[in-house]
Each structure stands twice: as structure tokens, then as C-alpha cells.
Amino acid sequence: MESNGNLKEVDVVHQKIFIGIDPGKNGGVAVINEMDDDNEHVITFRCPKNPKTMSLSLMSTIPTNVSYENVMVLIEHVHAMPKNGVVSMFSFGQNLGHWEGILGAFELNVEYAGPRTWMAHYDCKPGMDKKDRKRYLRGIAEELFPNIKMTFNISDAILIANYNKEIYYKKMAAYARKKS
């Protein structure tokens, strides 16, 4: 696991955790633990190979003093593509199902975003060559999180987690405006 080392105990009420999951075989997980207005702790890791390790890896990133109501999970919602092989799509479906089972068992708030949705947030143009797109997104992830050793396995996950955080605060601001 990669970490920026800023973890500390904070008030349960204010602490929010934003998780981004790229459920592919070569995907990753990123956890942004927002401890207060000025500090966040970021943990990233490649998708583990089995459900037990998936569960242990993910749940070890959530401090025990944090209510699961303050944990927001965003999973990349992808589907079979014409050029994908049957075995790889079956494996992908299994991975996604494992994540959904783990997250459901812990009753975490889970939402989904398609690749085009979260990538558009970072001005990634549709139709880019896969290698160029991966390099472009990794570059953005490196700019946003310079203290994290970025790999192709975790760059999408960290951008999904960051998108999750930004969308959450955008919704909260809209709700506050509506309420006032």
C-alpha cells in the first residue's frame, strides 16, 4: 500500500473518507481520508486477487472511529466491450461482484460512475488511444497527488476517489444553497 503518511486521529463528526475503485484485473483502490480542512491522508493499492484480501485491505484503511455513514465509495461502472475476451470479462465481473459483496456487507454508501463520466471531469476526450488516455490520466493524478508514487494500476482509482470527493462537495453546496 502507498500512503502519504498524514494519518492521525480526528473528530469523528468531521472526518470523511472517499474511496475510488477501478475493479478491473489490473485496477486499483484509492482512499482519501479527509481528516480536517487542511489535511488528507491518501492510501492506494492494486486490486487484491481474492475476496478475503480485498476486504482486509479496504477495511484496514478506514479508522475505527469513523462512522460508515461518512465513507463514500465510487466504483467505476464498466461493461463488456466488443473486443474484450470472454475470460477477461468473466474475471472482471467476478472482481466487481466481490467488491459489491464486501461493500454491501459493511453497508457502505456505494455509487457508480461510468468511465466517460469521471474521465470527462478531467477533460479526457472520448476516442483517445488507450495508451495516450492512460498517460494523460496518470499525469493528472501525479499533479493532484505528487506525494504518491503513481502507477497505471492506481492512477484511475485515485482520480475516481478524487472525483467522488469533488462531486460530494458539489452536491453538498447545491443542497446548502437550496436550503437557504
Side-chain angles (χ1 to χ4, degrees), residues 171-180:
K171 287 178 186 176
M172 295 309 294
Y175 177 74
R177 281 192 305 276
K178 194 179 216 184
K179 205 171 174 186
S180 60

Side-chain angles (χ1 to χ4, degrees), residues 1 12-13 43 52 58 60 71 78 92 100 119-120 127 129-130 140 147 152 173:
M1 276 188 226
V12 176
V13 176
I43 298 171
K52 182 177 181 180
L58 181 66
S60 71
V71 178
V78 294
F92 173 79
E100 290 173 330
M119 287 181 195
D129 174 69
K130 183 177 180 176
I140 291 172
N147 296 330
F152 288 114

Side-chain angles (χ1 to χ4, degrees), residues 33-178:
N33 183 336
E34 195 173 72
M35 297 173 295
D36 56 42
D37 291 340
D38 298 324
N39 293 303
E40 60 183 28
H41 179 71
V42 180
I43 298 171
T44 60
F45 55 94
R46 286 186 66 167
C47 276
K49 301 295 181 208
N50 64 65
K52 182 177 181 180
T53 308
M54 291 166 123
S55 180
L56 292 172
S57 298
L58 181 66
M59 299 316 291
S60 71
T61 67
I62 302 172
T64 56
N65 66 333
V66 174
S67 166
Y68 287 170
E69 291 177 6
N70 291 337
V71 178
M72 278 57 78
V73 182
L74 186 67
I75 299 178
E76 182 178 47
H77 188 257
V78 294
H79 47 81
M81 301 296 284
K83 293 183 181 181
N84 293 134
V86 175
V87 173
S88 67
M89 287 317 322
F90 182 77
S91 174
F92 173 79
Q94 275 188 309
N95 247 11
L96 179 60
H98 292 321
W99 282 118
E100 290 173 330
I102 292 163
L103 298 166
F106 287 100
E107 299 179 350
L108 295 173
N109 301 311
V110 179
E111 292 192 23
Y112 298 85
R116 286 188 180 171
T117 302
W118 72 262
M119 287 181 195
H121 183 75
Y122 299 104
D123 296 322
C124 187
K125 307 295 181 231
M128 281 179 91
D129 174 69
K130 183 177 180 176
K131 284 184 180 181
D132 292 339
R133 182 181 73 242
K134 288 287 193 185
R135 282 190 204 106
Y136 174 79
L137 292 169
R138 180 178 171 177
I140 291 172
E142 288 170 334
E143 286 177 28
L144 291 171
F145 300 93
N147 296 330
I148 298 291
K149 182 182 177 212
M150 206 58 62
T151 66
F152 288 114
N153 300 97
I154 57 121
S155 59
D156 284 3
I158 204 163
L159 291 176
I160 293 167
N162 189 65
Y163 172 74
N164 186 10
K165 181 178 92 169
E166 290 181 10
I167 293 305
Y168 171 81
Y169 284 114
K170 189 175 184 178
K171 287 178 186 176
M172 295 309 294
Y175 177 74
R177 281 192 305 276
K178 194 179 216 184

